[in-house]
Amino acid sequence: MKKRILYELGIFVLFVIITFIFPNKLMAYEYYNSEISYYENDNGGITVVKANYDVTDVTIPEKINGKPVNAIGTFGFSNCDKLKSINIPETVETIGAGAFEHCRLLEDINIPKGVTEIDSNTFQNCESIKNLSLENITTIGPAAFKGCINLNNVVISENLEKLYDESFKNCISLKQINLPYGLSYIGAEAFYNSGLTSIVIPSSVTTMTCYDGTFENCYELKNAVVNAELATIPARLFKNCISLTDIIFPNESTITTCGESAFENCTALENIKLPPQLATILESSFDGCSSLKMVKMPNTLKSILNYAFKNCISLSEVYFPNTINEISDKAFDDLTFDKIVFYGYKGTVVEKYASEHGIKFMPYSFNTFEDVKNVDWYYNAVKYVYEHKIMSGINSSTFAPDQKLTRGMIVTMLYNMENHPSIKGTSKFSDVQNKNVYFYNAVVWASNNNVVSGYANGKFGPDDNITREQLATILYNYCRYKGKYKTVYADYSKFTDSNKISSFAKWGMNWAVGHKIVNGSNGKLNPQGTATRAEAAAMISNYCNTIK
């Protein structure tokens, strides 16, 4: 009796397992025609699958037996290696996992608007598909388009939230893809060995797996912008991206750790600006970056682990902050040490490591601020304005060169240049009434002397950011106040955006460009770009050294 019960129980368990793994196999299939078979599903509709493996062109009806066709079954048309096109009705809301897997000749397919998820392996190895519109898709499952080697155009939904592992792996013809803001998750190896040439990871992305390899072996990838709000650059993120030359992390990046082999063998990478909050560089992060010439470590860096810069044979300059307390013995393994210079602070682990490994060590000459190094384009300007008591840091060790300049800051700088003359009267601006704020006297002085005016609403806006053309105009007004104004010709021919100068700023910009107080960058003046403290230091030092 017990044997009988165990036998029946075993049969039941086997039935459950088979039902779970092969759900479609136990359904009562009926044939619609020679191409399609179907069964009634639990949603009151019809699920369709192939009738045979030799189908070539399939049109799925909207209804069968008066019921809507709302699903394509799991592995529904998989391995139909003669299937070239399929027309799916708008009634379909679900396409099962592996539904078109290994349909190597499939070229044309439409995704109905009611389908919001592409399940795992749905189009894996559909080697002939070139174009896809995924306008309403919120989730793309694991390996959904893996091996679609001719896929070159994908329209992604603005509502896409998740891209799972290997989604577009081995899509070697896919050159561009726009990841929407709202995407929060990107799985491991999502674009492994794809043909991407550039990528922007939106700031909405908050999760990528630790051992990711998302863009590993993307041999044609040249430009990448990582706006994702992550704590760690995933391991192998750009490993073997041999064409990568530009990688951008925003100033507000939250990244604190560079993962293992994140940039390993990025052989075209010559320079990189690391995330500003980076604290740790893990093993082999830049191993094999043979073109990397210079690295400026951020002011938050604490640790560099073994092989982090192994085989960086072109590396000649490395700049360190005084926050660093660990450099593993093999962090700079297999380099030509007599060609490298370490710049850092005396008495730190940097000086000790350089001494132990025969590397030339150069202490910083002007080391008041931890975030201003010899290599920075604004180094001499900051040194000038600090030594002449025109600008100070935001604290004793930080200059904050990338911090936005405010109206309160600029009038304070000019007031400092005047050696704090006494002021007459009080502030006429409704938002500058507290005499204890640092800019109060400067605002009164600048207003009294027509260096800076307020707004039509009676406010000064001391905390408002200031643009480059506004800064130039203020310096122009200051020059006139000093009685040193001279007419000058400005040659705008080398700037492509001079037509963007506002009408109020034309005189000021003409004067500033003509006297090379404003020099622009990469052929642009960027007149309406918000000025930074570093740019202010540069313009003021140029003014002081040019206007005698």
Side-chain angles (χ1 to χ4, degrees), residues 62-106:
E62 291 187 357
K63 292 183 178 182
I64 295 178
N65 297 335
K67 294 185 178 182
V69 175
N70 57 16
I72 297 175
T74 302
F75 303 114
F77 290 85
S78 65
N79 294 303
C80 290
D81 54 13
K82 296 180 181 180
L83 181 64
K84 291 185 177 181
S85 67
I86 187 163
N87 188 359
I88 304 173
E90 288 298 317
T91 53
V92 170
E93 298 175 346
T94 302
I95 300 177
F100 298 97
E101 185 177 18
H102 305 307
C103 293
R104 300 184 187 279
L105 298 181
L106 182 62

Side-chain angles (χ1 to χ4, degrees), residues 18 25 45 89 138 146 177 189 197-198 230 246 278 294-295 312 316 319 338 372 381 429 486 501 526:
I18 293 174
K25 302 299 182 181
T138 60
K146 179 181 179 181
I177 194 165
E189 299 186 357
T197 58
S198 64
L230 305 170
D246 296 299
L278 191 67
M294 187 274 289
V295 177
C312 293
S316 60
Y319 295 81
D338 60 356
V372 179
F429 303 110
K486 292 181 181 179
I501 298 173
N526 191 21

Side-chain angles (χ1 to χ4, degrees), residues 180-313:
Y181 182 83
L183 179 67
S184 61
Y185 178 91
I186 303 178
E189 299 186 357
F191 296 95
Y192 182 100
N193 193 37
S194 72
L196 291 176
T197 58
S198 64
I199 193 68
V200 176
I201 306 176
S203 59
S204 56
V205 173
T206 55
T207 304
M208 297 176 75
T209 56
C210 291
Y211 293 92
D212 191 271
T214 301
F215 303 99
E216 184 174 352
N217 290 356
C218 290
Y219 300 122
E220 299 179 55
L221 186 66
K222 296 180 180 179
N223 308 294
V225 179
V226 183
N227 291 327
E229 293 191 3
L230 305 170
T232 300
I233 301 173
R236 302 170 24 241
L237 182 63
F238 295 105
K239 182 178 179 180
N240 296 331
C241 292
I242 58 175
S243 300
L244 185 65
T245 56
D246 296 299
I247 177 76
I248 297 174
F249 298 96
N251 290 332
E252 60 273 15
S253 175
T254 56
I255 291 169
T256 59
T257 301
C258 186
E260 295 179 10
S261 301
F263 298 93
E264 185 174 347
N265 292 329
C266 291
T267 53
L269 192 64
E270 295 185 4
N271 297 287
I272 185 170
K273 183 179 179 181
L274 296 170
Q277 303 300 318
L278 191 67
T280 305
I281 300 177
L282 295 181
E283 291 87 348
S284 302
S285 291
F286 295 90
D287 184 0
C289 292
S290 54
S291 297
L292 193 62
K293 297 177 180 179
M294 187 274 289
V295 177
K296 180 186 175 185
M297 305 297 181
N299 298 310
T300 50
L301 192 70
K302 296 180 179 179
S303 302
I304 304 175
L305 302 189
N306 280 328
Y307 312 115
F309 294 92
K310 180 181 178 181
N311 291 316
C312 293
I313 57 176

